Amino acid sequence: MSIVAYDSATGQLGVAVESHYFSAGPIVPWAESGVGAVATQANADPLYGLMGLNLMRAGKDAKSTLNALMAADSFIQTRQIAMIDSKGNAAVFTGNKTSSAAGHYIGKNFSVQANTMLNEEVWPAMAKAFEITKGELVDRLVAALEAGQKAGGDIRGKQTAALIVVSGTPTGLVWKDRLFDLRVDDSPEPIIELKRLVR
């Protein structure tokens, strides 16, 4: 399960993921200040992160970026991909060959998506938690993951979590723009560990 989001008050962009898949951090979440954020999962292809950010950096919005990349992908029905651009426009796709339960929800300035879940309550719970949680973007991202886990989470169990939050105004120094870049590769309680690292 994952979330991509934009904070209209600060311009920050973020992406967070929790999965049973070992070390999802280098694969699933992608974000760049002033550009956008991407989550690529199910039959994940990191090129969606790399090329997605490249196209949004060139001026395409999230929807046109996702459509362009999907059009060239013969394995698209096995994937789940979400993108959000620097204006808060979200786009998401869940293929019909992803593992059930699978689905997504687009809200204002965010998208939540999940596959191989215990039930279909996971992504609605994530969306609600993000919408009602107050505070910084990083806290709202973690709250969404917590709610998804509480609703059932990954049918295979828990192992890994990661998040990236980037600043609203790019400085030209990528490392300075990354406010949070955290990974929990292998833990029996990855979200609890992620929260500890955030604090």
Side-chain angles (χ1 to χ4, degrees), residues 37-59:
V38 180
T40 172
Q41 57 197 43
N43 181 17
D45 184 350
L47 282 176
Y48 276 93
L50 179 64
M51 297 303 296
L53 293 178
N54 285 346
L55 290 174
M56 286 190 281
R57 192 184 308 112

Side-chain angles (χ1 to χ4, degrees), residues 75-89:
F75 296 98
I76 188 60
Q77 294 300 332
T78 67
R79 306 195 199 283
Q80 190 172 52
I81 310 111
M83 299 184 177
I84 194 161
D85 60 38
S86 61
K87 295 181 179 179
N89 303 304

Side-chain angles (χ1 to χ4, degrees), residues 108-152:
K108 184 178 180 181
N109 296 328
F110 77 94
S111 171
V112 290
Q113 44 286 324
N115 65 86
T116 323
M117 295 292 107
L118 186 63
N119 57 61
E120 295 184 357
E121 302 301 317
V122 172
W123 50 97
M126 295 173 69
K128 182 177 180 181
F130 182 78
E131 290 172 331
I132 68 173
T133 300
K134 306 300 182 184
E136 296 183 26
L137 180 59
V138 67
D139 297 315
R140 300 175 71 198
L141 295 175
V142 173
L145 294 184
E146 286 184 300
Q149 184 59 53
K150 187 175 180 180

Side-chain angles (χ1 to χ4, degrees), residues 149-173:
Q149 184 59 53
K150 187 175 180 180
D154 194 316
I155 198 170
R156 301 164 298 178
K158 303 171 284 185
Q159 187 171 12
T160 183
L163 70 80
I164 301 171
V165 175
V166 293
S167 61
T169 304
T171 64
L173 303 174

